[in-house]
Amino acid sequence: AEHKVLNCIRTGKELTIENVKQESRYNINCATYNLYKLSIIMILYFSFFSFDGSYLVNLVMRILLFPIIVGITYEFKILFIENKQTISKFGRIIQDVFLEEPSDESTKIVINSIKELKVKETK
């Protein structure tokens, strides 16, 4: 429901259940999709690079390199968003697996939450 509401806001439509139902459930900023991209990049990176030393050295190096890999993943995300506003096939597959069409009740909850946030922002 969150993706549909965000897509409705992005297109500038009024937040009603009918308008939200018409929107796509796919969103390029989906956290699940971005976590999978992060996981793939980390697996690829650590598959090709290992550090000589004990298990502890490898563990410490992986922890230290984690922010750098997250930054690289973020840059890839920005690159993809700037070059195309549509989600990739991989992103659609991931979102198909983990997301389903929201019920009217969950859509109402998200719409009310967004409206409440907007009220608090204006105060």
Side-chain angles (χ1 to χ4, degrees):
E2 294 91 353
H3 289 180
K4 287 181 157 258
V5 169
L6 290 173
N7 289 334
C8 189
I9 291 170
R10 198 170 285 132
T11 57
K13 295 178 184 173
E14 183 182 352
L15 286 178
T16 63
I17 292 180
E18 293 76 28
N19 287 344
V20 171
K21 279 185 175 182
Q22 296 172 0
E23 295 297 328
S24 171
R25 67 183 172 134
Y26 300 110
N27 191 311
I28 198 163
N29 291 318
C30 175
T32 304
Y33 173 48
N34 289 320
L35 284 174
Y36 271 93
K37 286 191 297 187
L38 173 64
S39 300
I40 289 171
I41 289 174
M42 287 185 75
I43 289 168
L44 289 173
Y45 180 82
F46 290 123
S47 295
F48 292 111
F49 299 104
S50 64
F51 305 99
D52 294 333
S54 67
Y55 174 77
L56 185 61
V57 171
N58 276 314
L59 180 64
V60 169
M61 289 305 292
R62 288 174 187 220
I63 291 171
L64 290 175
L65 288 172
F66 183 75
I68 295 168
I69 294 171
V70 169
I72 291 168
T73 305
Y74 176 77
E75 292 301 326
F76 275 123
K77 176 186 166 199
I78 296 299
L79 178 69
F80 289 131
I81 289 174
E82 287 176 357
N83 289 335
K84 60 182 189 178
Q85 292 292 322
T86 59
I87 194 162
S88 67
K89 285 185 181 182
F90 175 70
R92 285 182 183 270
I93 291 169
I94 294 296
Q95 291 184 35
D96 280 337
V97 170
F98 291 101
L99 302 175
E100 57 187 34
E101 279 299 317
S103 66
D104 286 351
E105 185 63 30
S106 62
T107 303
K108 285 180 192 175
I109 291 169
V110 174
I111 289 172
N112 289 334
S113 299
I114 294 293
K115 287 180 178 178
E116 183 69 25
L117 283 173
K118 286 183 177 182
V119 167
K120 287 184 178 182
E121 284 179 358
T122 59
K123 288 184 178 180

